[in-house]
Amino acid sequence: MGGVAGMRGRQTVRGMFQSLGVIMVAAGVMYLFIPHDEHADPVKAKDYRVELLTAQRAAPYPVLAPQDLGEGWKATVVSYKRENADAWQLGFLSPDTQYVAVHQSTAEPGKFAPKVSQGAKATGKTQTVGGLVWQRWEGPKYDALVRTEGGATTVVTGTASFERLAEMAGSLRSSQKV
């Protein structure tokens, strides 16, 4: 009898090792397919050309988008809502992974700018970027550069520094090379 029990014990151990082997193989396969490189960039850049062309045709003001921004900027958010005071939004991750967004709308500037800048307020200071004067706004979450012209308010806002916001503001053009 002792021999049969011994056999069963060895089979159990062998079965356990086989199971463990299967689990290890599965774990190895998962490891290969799950991104585990700390330098890998999980954010996919969005191609916003179609939305930009649509907004440029539909909006009653010159819709702005960056040109020649330089390396490392990734578009992540894009939308145009005609029914929402012709609101145009284009959001980016900057090379230092801060959020920078361009918002434009025909909405009342005093309501629109604080809304899209997450509660930022005018500081009374201005900043000249590319020959254009922008108002500097500061807030608990986002800072912003704000400008009203041609019936629309443009807000460049986000978690980035004023230097990065100015970089974006300086690159804005109303016609995009597609």
Side-chain angles (χ1 to χ4, degrees), residues 106-128:
T106 55
E108 203 267 296
K111 290 192 177 103
F112 176 67
K115 183 180 170 204
V116 296
S117 66
Q118 307 267 333
K121 292 179 169 59
T123 61
K125 297 178 196 148
T126 60
Q127 184 167 341
T128 303

Side-chain angles (χ1 to χ4, degrees), residues 35-99:
H36 47 270
D37 179 5
E38 317 80 69
H39 303 293
D41 203 330
V43 178
K44 275 201 59 77
K46 220 174 181 53
D47 184 349
Y48 56 88
R49 289 175 296 186
V50 173
E51 288 93 339
L52 177 60
L53 286 169
T54 304
Q56 286 176 334
R57 287 192 192 112
Y61 57 83
V63 171
L64 300 176
Q67 274 187 20
D68 308 320
L69 245 188
E71 285 299 297
W73 288 85
K74 282 196 172 130
T76 56
V77 179
V78 62
S79 76
Y80 175 72
K81 295 194 171 90
R82 177 183 258 170
E83 70 284 0
N84 187 13
D86 299 289
W88 166 246
Q89 177 187 2
L90 190 51
F92 288 83
L93 270 187
S94 69
D96 51 355
T97 64
Q98 294 297 311
Y99 182 64

Side-chain angles (χ1 to χ4, degrees), residues 150-166:
T153 298
T154 303
V155 181
V156 178
T157 188
T159 57
S161 64
F162 273 111
E163 191 180 18
R164 285 283 190 213
L165 298 179

